[in-house]
Structure formats: C-alpha cells, structure tokens
C-alpha cells in the first residue's frame, strides 16, 4: 500500500509539470456494471491537478444505482441504502442493458434475481415499469436511467472541482458494439455531458501505465488483463518511442498501439458471487425444510447477495469466511461458513474460462509468453487468489504484474485522455495513442436494378483499424438505393446481437440526377460516392453521399496563334483562354470535388475597345457533384431514441433534477435550523457574559422559542418544505441576532478601540518621519491626514464616553466595525502619500562665456546658407561645444530614489 501511495504522489507531482495552466476542468467517468469512478483534471490553485472525486460518503467509488421511493429519486449511495428493503425499486446493472434486446435483458435480470418489471418498447428494447406511490406508473428507458447515473457522476465532478465540468471522457468495455456506444452517447446527452470521446477501458489503463515511463531504451509488449464484476478481457498493447523535433531539439516521444483485444462478456466476479448465492440458498432451504425456496423472495435474495459480496472479499484474504443474515426469510436468521477450498471448487469451471481471452490474444498475435514484458492485472476480481494462481501457472511466473491500481487505473488514464482532448487543458509531454476498432465492418448496397456482386458488399473497416478514420466508397449506379452497415464476422458479434446488420440508410436523389443529366454527353457512367467516418468513440456512420457526373461538351474558346492583324485583341484573348484552361483542368484533376461546375464559355470580361475575338470549338470535360439525401432507417433494439423521445426524456429528467435540487435545499435548510438550535442552546448555557448584554426575561423568551422550534422540527417539521424551514430559522435569528451581536461587541469593541489608539500613536511618528526624511511630500496632503486623525480621535473619545453611560442591554452606541472602517480609510490615505516618488534632480548645463555664445548665435543664423562646408556642419551638429580653453563644471550625479 505504501508503495502504491508513493507512486501516486510521484505521478501527481509529475503530472503537474505536464499541463499548460488553465482555469478549465474536465473529467473522466469509469462506468462499470456495479460501480462508477470519477476523476477530475483541474488546475485550480490548492488542488491536485488530477484526482479521484469522492462522493457524499467520502468514498472513491459509488454504486451505479438509481431508485424511486415515495416520490423521491435516489442515486448512488442513497439508492444502495434501500436495496435490501426495496429491491424492486433499485435499478442496477444498467450499463449491461444499454442497446440490448428485450430477451437478453430479461435473461440477465432473471439470472441475477432482480425483481424488475420490464416491458418491450417499440424498438424491441427494454422499458422499465416503475409504480411509485406518489407519481403513479411511469416508464423509463435504459438510456433515461443511465442518464440519471451519469448526471450523478457529473455532480460528483463539479462538487470536487468547485467549477462547472461538462466535458468528459467515458470508458466502455472493448466488446461494446454500435448499439451500446450510441445508447451510451444518448444517455450522456440526457445528463448534459459533452462527451469528448468514449474510450476503451484498456486504452485508459495503457495511458496510466505509459505516462510516467521511458520507452526510448526499448519497446515492449504488455497485456492488460481485466476481470471486473461482469466481464473479462485481455488487451495486447505495444509500447515504443520515436524521435521528434521540439524547439530545435531532438526529444523522445512515447507512444503505444493496441494490437489486439479478446474478451468474455459474461465472465466476472459476479459469476463467482452467484455460485456462492446458489450454494447458501440451497443450504438455507435445507435448514428450513418444508419445501421453502428462498429464491422466490426478492428481498431475501437481495439480503443474501449483499452478504455474499462481503464473504467473497473475506475469502480473498482468509481461508475461511462466515456469513450471517438476520431475518433472511420468514423472520428466520441464517448463519453459515465456507472455506476457500469449497469456494474454489464451486467455481472450478470459471478458472479455466478466465484464461481463454489471454490465450486467444497470444494465439492471434503469434507472440509467446516469454516475449511479453508484463501482464498487468486490473479489475476488482483479479484479487481472487485462485485466479492469480491460475494466471501464474499459465504465464510461468512467480509474481504477477500489479503496478497499477486495480480500481482506479482506468479512470485516471481516461482523465489524461480528457485533458489531451480538451481545449482548455493540454499535456506538454506527449504520449501517442493508437487504439483500434474492436469489430470489423462491411457495407452492403441494395436497390432496384442493383446487381449483387463483390462491388455491392465490401469490407469497410478492418478489425483493429485506427480510431478515428474516414472511408470512401464509389460505385456506378443510376437509381436510388439502400446502404446497410454490418459486422464483418457473424462469429464475432456484440453480446445479445443476433443479426450482423446494425444500421440502414435510404439514399435518394440519384434517380433524379440520372434523369437530369443522362441526355447530356456523359464521358463516363454516373457514380455514387459514399463517405463514411469511424469516430474516436468507435461509432461508424454514413456522413455524406454524392452523385458524380462527368460531361464532355463542345465549347467555344479563344483561338490560339493569333495573326498580326488581331494582335490588338491578343491580350484579351489570352486572358479568356487562361481562365477557361484553369477551370477545366481543375475539374479534370478533382473529379469528386465541388469545383468545376462553372461554364468557362460563359465567362465575360468588360472590353474597353470594340475588338472581334476569334474563337474555336473544343471538347471540354466538366464534373458535377450533386448531394444525395440520406435518411436513417435503422430499426430494432439497436435504434437510437428518436428526437421526440429524447425531448420527452429530457423533460422527465428535468423534473427530477428540480425535485432533487429542492430536496437538497430542504435538507440543507433543515440541517441549518437544527444546527442553529443546538449551537445556540449550548452557547446560552455555557458561555459567560450573556448576563451583561441581555435581561433574564429576554434570554428566557429566546430559549422558549428555541424549544418550540425544536419540537416542531421533529413532529410537523418532518415533512416541511424548504420555505418553512427558512421561515423558522429567520424567526429565531430575529430574536437571537441582536443578543449575539451585543455579546460579540462586548469584547470586539474594546479590542477595536485599543487597536485604534495604538495606530494613532504610530501615525504621529509616521508624520514626523515624513517631515524629516521626505521633504518633497505635499504639505497639504500631510495636513489632511493629521486633521482626519484628530477628528477620528475626538469621535472615538466621544463615542466611548456615550457607551459608558449606555446600558449593556441596549443597542451599542458604536461598533467595532465602524472603528475599523475609519482606521482603514486613514491607512489608505497614508499609503497613497507613501507612494509619492522623490522628484528626479534636473541636470545642469555647462556655463558658456559671452564671446562663445555670440559666435554660436552667428553660426546658427548662418547655418542654412553654409551647410555645404565642413565648418558649418560641425557648428550645426555641436552648437553647445565649449571653447578649447574654457573650463566647464562637471554635471552633478543623480542620486537613486529613496
């Protein structure tokens, strides 16, 4: 642990040197099945440049949960607090449901004993039916619920950074397909997040691994092995360095490239926990007998799963662990124990499965185990001793590589990526990153009169193609058509996906373009150009489609080889010919550009004289590009929410946001009222001096009001509004503030008077120093300060005499604040006078005799007419030069200013 803390401190110190100063803040969100972590990059003074945000319970990770109970929405720790009592109202595993079809989500929640009520929406995806006592029946999509969780993550970031944080990088598991990535982007949109990029988890880990290392002495292959709550993957990353010029110097720049990644999306720590859940459920059923099955009780299973998590954690450090659940089912307690050996036996098949992603990466890369520099373990489940033993056995190593924080490596690495992508924060030290697409993609065309061949189905993106990338495809056709995007291999599909096709587009306008231009002299068949992009987030899309038409026409151009008789028109003709030639050449050289649509033969130039231009006809090739209309036709669970559905979702979430804000404000004001009551009572009971500034009747009345408010707080005030809490607090302060003000002034006013008298004495010495050491200071300014000091002294004596005659129960005649304000006013004037600089002494000119002065005057008057002579030049340039035998007093030296 000490070593990890030392590395973290060293990393933070190093990172502080990497960032260009800025007031911006960005965040990263590591969104898992069970937990979420948030890291913030913030250059605010007094804060670490990069740090993990803590939640309201001062924890560095938060449950990825959202719940609805009695008209209240609960997220994170609050939702986790009610999961055992209301398991049907707390929604979990949301990340694993995004973009999934109804059947797969149904199988998932059944396998985890989650008592959710779900229905199939119009897309074939899941919609949660939430029956809240206060709001009735409401349906929420996975995007909406996940948007609430992400909004909670943003609040954590902003609370930590103390500034607005809207730019973020969100991590995703590498197996996320197009539907999951698009769905997550829409959830982030609902949360008000500007997603700089979705980032594969292994790239986040690789960034964290490589940012503080030097690869100039040798490249290395590193595998990042991650087993989290629900998934496992192994990613092969190649680290190296290259030389680059920076400020005229050659520097070494680190870089890495993700070579391959393999996964098992259904294997994780949760599988091990479920084995224990099943084992203990069977044991409890045997203890109770009578055909009782605890699995039929959602509350009982929620309690059992919660305790099983703790038992599994204990087994990671001990050979035996207990489990104890009070009132598990039908008021029956459950207690048992299990050995690590029994646990490992229950999970026997999982240990072999855990090696498969690692073996596949090595197989497809052609690398051997001894060619790997390291196999870094990340993810909470890699702490299980048996899993570590299996990996050690396979790798043939006595110790595993655990240089990264298993829980926070990904979110910290993602924060580096967020800083690099942000406009406000940049890294001085570069770490080149090349990640690739987890899937290959093909494009397929369909439509009337479109023959199916190798040109209508093409590989668009190879697996592990660099992110981001742009692609272009062109084909000959003359009618409207459809474009389908599909995964390259049916053997490698995202979890739950049954059809490789994930997007469809209708492209129109080609038939109209064909009809319009087919009668022209086409130099080649009409083509359709399709422009695709693979974003940094791994999302592929059809961005643009154009119809490209090439026409050859006879056009009149100025004739070359002009005769002598037409020489007068040659200048004009050459100009026209040049313009026509350039226009045509540009069109020929850029067949797919937007240029070349202007007709050179129509070019006109205003002629200053009437000259007949001799022309000739030539064949010219011209290229047109007509934009085609694209309409997305994607249907099924992978379809995104429509604009209407998004707008409706935003409205629903906005209502909850306002409710939550009001709830937080109500809780804050309730705490303020409660705190004021207790703190005030304690002061009145323990502090001396209140008898000097208040009567016993006044104090008794105040205490009665405090008791009355306290009783209300725990009875009728339980369901009070924020306004009511504020009104109660204001009423108490109206009675208490005058008392506490007099109590404060009882000591503050004499202290202020003492400070004032001391300063007035110092001021007299300051004025005497001015008169002695700074004679250049304006006397009127000094007199003004003296006069104001005398006035203040008189005012203070007068007020103190009045205060002595005034009862301590009455309002003070003057306050400490008034005294300090008057002192500050005088101090400002003193400072202003002190800043007046000493005037610089004027330099003295040498004394000249009368004869020389007369001669110089004569020279000056005659200098204009005698400029050509050397004597005149000299006398003009040196008018003050003394005579040879004259003695000149030296110029006095200027003294430094005081």
């Amino acid at each position: 642990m000490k070593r990890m803390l030392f590395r973290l401190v060293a990393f933070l110190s190093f990172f502080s040197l990497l960032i260009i100063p800025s007031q911006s803040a960005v965040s990263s969100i590591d969104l898992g099945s069970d937990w979420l972590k948030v890291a913030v990059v913030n250059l605010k003074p007094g804060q670490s440049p990069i740090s993990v945000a803590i939640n309201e319970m001062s924890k560095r990770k938060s449950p990825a949960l959202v719940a609805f109970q009695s008209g209240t929405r609960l997220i994170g720790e609050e939702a986790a607090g009610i999961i055992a009592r209301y398991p049907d109202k707390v929604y979990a595993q949301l990340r694993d449901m995004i973009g999934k079809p109804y059947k797969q989500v149904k199988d998932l929640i059944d396998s985890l004993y989650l008592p959710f009520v779900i229905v199939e929406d119009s897309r074939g995806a899941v919609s949660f039916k939430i029956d809240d006592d206060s709001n009735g029946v409401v349906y929420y999509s996975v995007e909406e619920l996940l948007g609430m969780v992400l909004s909670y993550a943003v609040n954590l970031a902003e609370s930590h950074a103390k500034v607005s944080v809207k730019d973020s990088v969100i991590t995703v598991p590498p197996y996320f397909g197009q539907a999951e990535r698009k769905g997550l982007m829409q959830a982030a949109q609902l949360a008000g997040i500007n997603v700089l990029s979705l980032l594969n988890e292994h790239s986040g880990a690789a960034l964290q691994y490589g940012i503080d290392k030097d690869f100039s002495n040798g490249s290395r292959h590193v595998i990042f092995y991650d087993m989290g709550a629900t998934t496992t993957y192994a990613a092969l990353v190649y680290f190296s360095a290259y030389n680059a010029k920076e400020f005229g110097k050659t520097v070494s720049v680190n870089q890495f490239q993700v070579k391959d990644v393999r996964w098992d999306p259904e294997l994780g720590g949760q599988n091990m926990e479920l084995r224990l859940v099943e084992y203990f459920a069977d044991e409890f059923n045997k203890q109770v007998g009578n055909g009782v099955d605890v699995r039929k009780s959602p509350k009982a299973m929620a309690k059992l799963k919660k305790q099983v998590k703790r038992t599994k954690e204990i087994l990671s450090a001990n050979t035996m662990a207990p489990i104890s659940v009070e009132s598990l089912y039908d008021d029956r307690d459950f207690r048992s124990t299990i050995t690590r050996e029994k646990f490992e036996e229950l999970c026997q098949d999982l240990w072999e499965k855990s090696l498969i992603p690692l073996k596949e990466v090595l197989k497809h890369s052609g690398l051997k185990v001894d060619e790997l520099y390291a196999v870094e373990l990340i993810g909470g489940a890699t702490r299980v001793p048996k899993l570590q033993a299996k990996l050690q056995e396979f790798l043939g190593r006595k110790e595993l590589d655990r240089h990264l924080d298993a829980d926070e490596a990904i979110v910290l690495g993602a924060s580096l990526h967020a800083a690099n992508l942000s406009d406000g924060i940049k890294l001085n030290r570069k770490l080149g990153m090349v990640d690739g697409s987890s899937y290959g993609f093909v494009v397929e065309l369909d439509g009337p009169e479109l023959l199916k061949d190798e040109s209508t189905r093409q590989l668009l993106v190879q697996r592990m193609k660099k992110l981001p990338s742009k692609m272009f495809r062109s084909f000959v056709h003359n009618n409207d058509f459809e474009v389908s995007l599909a995964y390259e291999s049916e053997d490698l599909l995202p979890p739950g996906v049954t059809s490789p096709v994930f997007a469809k587009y209708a492209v129109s306008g080609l038939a109209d373009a064909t009809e319009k231009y087919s009668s022209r002299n086409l130099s080649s068949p009409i083509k359709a150009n399709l422009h695709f992009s693979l974003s940094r987030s791994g999302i592929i899309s059809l961005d643009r489609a154009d119809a490209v038409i090439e026409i050859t026409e006879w056009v009149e151009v100025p004739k070359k080889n002009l005769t002598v008789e037409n020489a007068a028109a040659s200048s004009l003709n050459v100009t026209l010919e040049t313009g026509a030639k350039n226009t045509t050449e540009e069109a020929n050289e850029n067949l797919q550009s937007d240029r070349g649509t202007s007709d050179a033969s129509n070019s006109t130039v205003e002629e200053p004289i009437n000259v007949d231009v001799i022309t000739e006809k030539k064949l010219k090739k011209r290229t047109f590009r007509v934009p085609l209309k694209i309409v997305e036709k994607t249907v099924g669970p992978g379809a995104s929410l429509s604009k209407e559905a998004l707008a409706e979702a935003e409205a629903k979430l906005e209502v909850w946001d306002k409710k939550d804000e009001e709830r937080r404000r109500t809780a804050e004001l309730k705490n303020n009222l409660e705190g004021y009551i207790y703190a005030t009572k304690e002061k009145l009971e323990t502090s001396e001096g209140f008898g000097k500034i208040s009567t016993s009747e006044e104090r008794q009345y105040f205490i009665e009001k405090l008791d009355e408010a306290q009783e209300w707080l725990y009875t009728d005030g339980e369901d009070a509004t924020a306004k009511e809490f504020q009104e109660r607090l204001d009423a108490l302060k109206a009675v208490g503030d005058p008392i506490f003000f007099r109590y404060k002034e009882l000591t503050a006013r004499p202290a202020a008077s003492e400070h004032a008298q001391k300063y007035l004495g110092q001021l007299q010495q300051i004025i005497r120093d001015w008169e002695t050491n700074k004679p250049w200071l304006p006397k009127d300014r000094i007199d003004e300060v003296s006069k104001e000091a005398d006035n203040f002294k008189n005012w203070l004596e007068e007020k103190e005499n009045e205060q002595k005659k005034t009862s301590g129960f009455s309002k003070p005649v003057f306050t400490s604040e008034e005294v300090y304000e008057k002192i500050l006013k005088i101090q400002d004037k003193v400072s202003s006078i002190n800043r007046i600089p000493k005037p610089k002494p004027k330099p003295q000119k040498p004394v000249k005799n009368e004869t020389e002065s007369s001669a110089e005057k004569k020279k000056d008057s005659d200098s204009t007419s005698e400029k050509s002579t050397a004597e005149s030049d000299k006398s003009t340039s040196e008018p003050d030069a003394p005579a040879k035998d004259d003695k000149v007093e030296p110029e006095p030296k200027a003294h430094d200013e005081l």
Side-chain angles (χ1 to χ4, degrees):
M1 176 59 72
K2 289 183 178 179
R3 187 177 70 173
M4 291 300 295
L5 288 174
F6 174 78
R7 286 180 59 81
L8 180 58
V9 171
F11 169 73
L12 293 179
S13 300
F14 175 76
F15 188 80
S16 65
L17 300 176
L18 298 180
I19 307 179
I20 297 173
S22 168
Q23 295 301 317
S24 302
V26 294
S27 70
S28 60
I29 302 172
D30 179 13
L31 179 65
S33 301
D34 289 346
W35 304 93
L36 65 86
K37 277 85 69 178
V38 179
V40 178
V41 182
N42 183 22
L43 300 187
K44 190 174 182 180
Q47 292 190 2
S48 299
I50 176 171
S51 53
V52 175
I54 60 173
N55 63 18
E56 63 273 20
M57 301 293 288
S58 297
K59 296 180 180 179
R60 296 169 72 88
K61 64 179 182 179
S62 304
L65 304 171
V66 58
F68 301 90
Q69 170 66 11
S70 301
T72 302
R73 180 180 68 174
L74 307 172
I75 308 177
E77 295 286 357
E78 287 186 322
I82 67 168
I83 195 169
R85 288 176 294 160
Y86 307 102
D88 58 325
K89 297 181 182 297
V90 183
Y91 296 90
Q93 307 289 140
L94 295 170
R95 188 200 72 170
D96 299 331
M97 300 178 188
I98 193 82
K100 301 292 195 304
Y102 172 84
K103 184 180 184 305
Q104 187 187 5
V105 176
K106 183 70 168 64
D107 292 343
L108 175 64
I109 65 174
D110 288 346
S111 67
L112 298 177
Y113 300 103
L114 298 173
F116 304 153
V117 180
I118 60 173
V119 297
E120 188 172 2
D121 66 10
S122 58
R123 300 177 297 169
V126 167
S127 186
F128 294 87
K129 181 181 179 183
I130 297 175
D131 190 0
D132 191 12
D133 298 336
S134 300
N135 298 318
V137 177
V138 184
Y139 293 90
Y140 289 101
S141 65
V142 181
E143 288 91 340
E144 289 172 308
L145 296 184
L146 199 55
M148 298 178 188
V149 174
L150 292 174
S151 179
Y152 170 76
V154 171
N155 289 336
L156 291 182
E158 293 185 337
S159 176
H160 182 79
K162 309 297 189 221
V163 295
S164 177
V165 183
K166 296 304 179 186
D167 294 345
S168 184
V169 165
I170 303 177
T171 64
V172 294
Y175 60 79
F176 256 30
Q178 295 297 295
E180 292 96 330
R181 292 174 188 262
K182 289 181 180 179
L184 185 55
M185 291 290 279
Q186 287 199 315
Q189 179 182 344
L190 292 174
I193 299 175
N194 175 38
V195 181
L196 298 172
S197 173
L198 299 181
L199 180 69
N200 289 323
E201 291 173 352
H202 53 266
S203 289
L207 276 165
Q208 171 72 345
Y209 176 86
I211 192 64
D212 60 349
K213 291 180 173 58
D214 183 5
F215 304 111
S216 60
N217 294 326
S219 58
R220 62 182 71 169
H221 285 95
V222 178
I223 286 182
F224 293 91
Y225 182 90
D226 184 354
M227 182 181 284
T230 60
T231 61
T232 302
Y233 64 79
L236 175 64
V237 180
Y238 177 67
F239 290 90
S240 60
Y242 65 93
N243 291 329
K245 288 286 186 182
E246 192 171 291
F247 303 111
K249 296 182 179 180
T250 301
V251 295
S252 178
V253 181
N254 287 341
Q255 63 181 350
F256 72 83
Q257 180 179 4
V258 180
K259 293 292 187 179
D260 195 11
V261 58
R262 302 286 165 166
W263 56 78
D264 186 337
E266 299 178 351
L267 174 64
Q270 198 172 77
N271 299 78
M272 305 175 196
E273 293 169 8
L274 284 174
R275 298 293 171 89
L276 290 175
V277 169
E278 298 292 346
Y279 174 79
F280 288 126
D282 289 338
E283 186 173 339
F284 179 80
N285 291 341
K286 289 179 183 178
Q287 291 179 5
V288 177
N290 299 324
V292 170
D293 187 359
V294 71
R295 295 178 178 85
K296 294 181 180 179
S297 170
K299 286 187 178 181
M301 293 305 289
K303 290 180 179 179
L304 185 58
K305 287 194 296 181
K306 185 176 181 179
Q307 293 301 320
V308 158
K309 284 180 179 290
R310 297 177 182 175
T311 301
K312 174 172 161 282
E313 291 174 359
I314 294 173
L315 283 175
S316 294
N318 302 273
T319 57
M320 181 177 289
I323 184 170
S324 177
V325 189
E326 294 185 4
S327 299
L328 176 60
Y329 180 76
D330 196 21
D331 291 333
R332 293 177 181 268
D333 298 338
F334 174 64
R335 290 179 177 81
S336 182
T337 58
I338 189 170
T339 64
R340 184 189 290 178
E341 184 180 3
K342 182 62 178 177
F343 166 67
E344 293 172 355
E345 179 187 330
L346 293 173
C347 303
Q348 186 61 42
D349 59 315
L350 301 182
W351 312 127
E352 293 301 322
K353 286 184 179 179
S354 65
L355 296 177
I356 293 177
L358 186 57
K359 290 178 178 178
E360 287 186 347
V361 163
L362 291 172
K363 175 185 174 183
H364 289 89
S365 67
L367 292 175
K368 297 179 181 179
V369 171
D370 56 6
E371 293 179 275
L372 298 176
Y373 181 87
V375 177
E376 290 287 343
L377 302 187
I378 50 179
T382 57
R383 296 188 179 97
V384 176
K386 183 62 175 179
L387 175 62
Q388 294 182 6
K390 292 295 291 185
L391 291 170
Q392 285 175 319
E393 179 185 347
F394 175 74
L395 296 171
R397 301 187 180 192
K398 292 183 180 180
E399 291 188 7
L400 298 171
D401 299 294
R402 299 185 66 87
H403 302 104
L404 299 176
D405 187 302
D407 288 325
E408 298 179 356
I410 292 173
V411 74
L412 288 172
S415 67
L416 294 171
H417 192 50
N420 202 37
L421 294 179
S422 169
D423 291 334
I425 301 175
K426 292 294 180 183
L427 299 180
N428 275 341
R429 179 168 178 179
K430 298 177 182 177
L431 177 59
M433 182 185 81
V434 179
D435 197 0
S437 173
S438 300
Y439 298 95
F441 303 114
V442 297
V443 57
E444 187 167 3
L445 308 176
D446 194 12
E449 303 175 5
L450 193 62
L451 298 178
K452 294 288 186 178
D453 56 19
E454 64 276 1
S455 66
T456 58
R457 179 180 172 84
Q458 300 179 22
L459 178 64
L460 190 62
V461 173
Q462 290 182 330
R463 188 171 185 274
M464 300 313 300
K465 183 178 179 65
K466 176 185 175 182
L467 301 175
S469 297
K470 291 186 178 296
M471 291 72 64
F472 166 81
R473 291 293 182 272
S474 179
F475 69 101
V476 176
H477 195 47
N478 56 13
N479 213 329
D480 296 346
F481 58 95
E482 290 187 349
V483 177
S484 297
L485 293 175
Y487 296 104
E488 176 188 8
S489 173
E490 294 190 15
D491 297 329
L492 187 65
L493 297 176
V497 172
T498 55
S499 170
V501 177
F502 58 81
K504 288 188 175 182
Y505 305 89
V507 181
S508 59
L510 187 58
D512 292 341
T514 300
E515 182 179 355
K516 180 178 180 180
Y517 292 101
S518 59
S519 60
R520 307 282 288 272
N521 187 23
L522 298 176
S523 60
S524 62
I526 295 177
K527 293 185 296 186
N529 287 350
L530 302 177
H531 300 264
F532 302 88
S533 66
L534 179 63
S535 73
R536 196 183 303 275
S537 299
I539 298 174
I540 190 170
S541 59
L542 173 59
D543 298 332
R544 196 176 87 234
D546 305 306
V548 180
I549 301 101
E550 294 181 354
I551 299 174
T552 303
E553 292 183 320
W554 289 99
V555 296
E556 288 192 352
V557 299
K559 189 174 182 180
K560 295 182 180 180
N561 300 324
L562 299 176
T563 62
V564 176
E565 289 77 9
N566 290 322
S570 62
S571 176
L572 175 61
N573 291 341
V574 170
T575 302
L576 289 173
E577 175 63 17
T578 302
K581 179 180 180 182
N582 288 343
T583 304
T584 308
E585 285 179 351
E586 284 181 4
N588 290 336
E589 291 172 1
N590 302 284
L591 298 182
Q592 293 140 10
S593 71
D594 288 318
R595 308 180 67 167
T597 57
S598 62
D599 192 338
S601 62
N602 292 331
S603 299
T604 59
V605 177
E606 187 176 339
E607 299 182 23
I609 56 175
N610 186 16
V611 178
D612 292 332
V613 179
I614 300 177
T615 62
E616 62 180 349
K617 287 189 175 182
K618 283 190 175 182
L619 279 174
K620 295 291 182 181
K621 182 187 292 185
R622 297 168 58 208
T623 301
F624 298 87
R625 190 169 71 177
V626 180
L628 301 179
K629 183 180 179 181
I630 301 174
V631 177
E632 186 171 359
K633 295 176 59 180
T634 306
V635 295
S640 300
L641 292 174
S642 65
K643 289 183 179 180
E644 295 76 16
L646 266 178
E648 183 181 346
E650 287 174 350
K652 287 158 68 177
L653 266 63
E654 185 178 355
V655 170
W656 278 118
D657 290 341
K658 289 181 179 178
K659 275 190 174 184
D660 287 351
E661 179 60 32
E662 180 65 18
R663 184 166 65 91
R664 283 192 292 269
R665 183 168 175 271
T666 300
E668 180 182 353
L669 290 174
K670 182 179 180 181
N671 290 336
N672 291 346
L673 176 60
E674 187 176 33
Y676 182 83
I677 292 171
Y678 281 101
T680 302
K681 280 188 171 183
E682 184 180 1
K683 286 180 181 179
L684 292 174
E685 293 171 0
T686 60
S687 300
E688 299 179 0
F690 278 101
K692 298 179 181 179
I693 50 85
S694 62
T695 64
S696 58
E697 292 81 5
E698 188 178 15
R699 293 194 301 276
Q700 184 60 37
Y701 175 77
F702 188 27
I703 291 173
E704 289 175 0
K705 288 295 181 183
L706 290 169
D707 291 338
E708 180 184 322
Q710 185 176 4
E711 184 179 355
W712 172 85
L713 187 64
Y714 299 120
T715 53
D716 297 340
E718 287 290 343
D719 299 321
T721 63
K723 182 180 178 182
E724 290 175 297
F725 287 122
Q726 187 64 58
E727 288 174 349
R728 289 274 175 171
L729 183 60
D730 291 342
L732 291 177
K733 286 185 174 182
V735 178
D737 283 357
I739 297 175
F740 286 114
F741 177 73
R742 296 197 299 269
Y743 180 74
K744 178 180 75 72
E745 286 297 310
L746 191 63
T747 55
R749 188 173 56 251
S753 296
E754 182 180 353
H755 174 74
Q757 295 291 354
K758 184 178 180 180
Y759 179 71
L760 288 175
Q762 294 172 347
L763 183 58
Q764 296 303 317
Q765 181 61 43
I766 292 172
I767 293 174
R768 285 194 294 270
D769 290 343
W770 283 347
E771 293 172 345
T772 303
N773 301 322
K774 296 185 178 183
W776 65 86
L777 294 178
K779 187 175 184 305
D780 59 334
R781 297 282 298 274
I782 297 176
D783 292 342
E784 183 183 348
V785 170
S786 297
K787 183 179 180 181
E788 188 161 346
D790 291 339
N791 292 338
F792 171 64
K793 183 178 180 181
N794 295 334
W795 175 87
L796 185 59
E797 290 175 355
E798 179 184 341
K799 293 296 181 182
E800 285 182 332
N801 291 330
E802 288 183 34
Q803 185 63 52
K804 291 176 182 177
K805 301 175 185 178
T806 304
S807 168
F809 306 153
S810 303
K811 182 180 178 181
V813 174
F814 72 105
T815 66
S816 58
E817 184 178 354
E818 289 178 286
V819 175
Y820 288 122
E821 284 180 354
K822 291 180 180 295
I823 292 175
L824 286 174
K825 187 177 180 182
I826 296 174
Q827 287 177 333
D828 287 342
K829 290 187 176 182
V830 170
S831 298
S832 176
I833 294 174
N834 267 327
R835 289 194 293 268
I836 297 176
K838 179 181 179 181
K840 294 181 180 181
K842 297 181 180 180
Q844 297 181 7
K845 292 186 178 181
V847 180
K848 303 175 184 178
N849 57 40
E850 187 176 345
T851 304
E852 180 190 8
S853 298
S854 300
E856 283 190 353
K857 288 179 181 179
K858 187 176 187 305
K859 288 180 181 179
D860 287 339
S861 62
D862 297 336
S863 61
T864 304
S865 60
E866 298 176 357
K867 283 183 181 179
S868 58
T869 67
E871 185 70 26
S872 173
D873 289 340
K874 182 177 179 181
S875 64
T876 305
S877 60
E878 298 178 354
D880 296 328
K884 182 177 181 182
D885 297 329
D886 286 344
K887 294 182 180 180
V888 181
E889 293 293 330
E891 184 176 316
K893 295 182 179 179
H895 296 281
D896 293 336
E897 292 184 27
L898 295 177

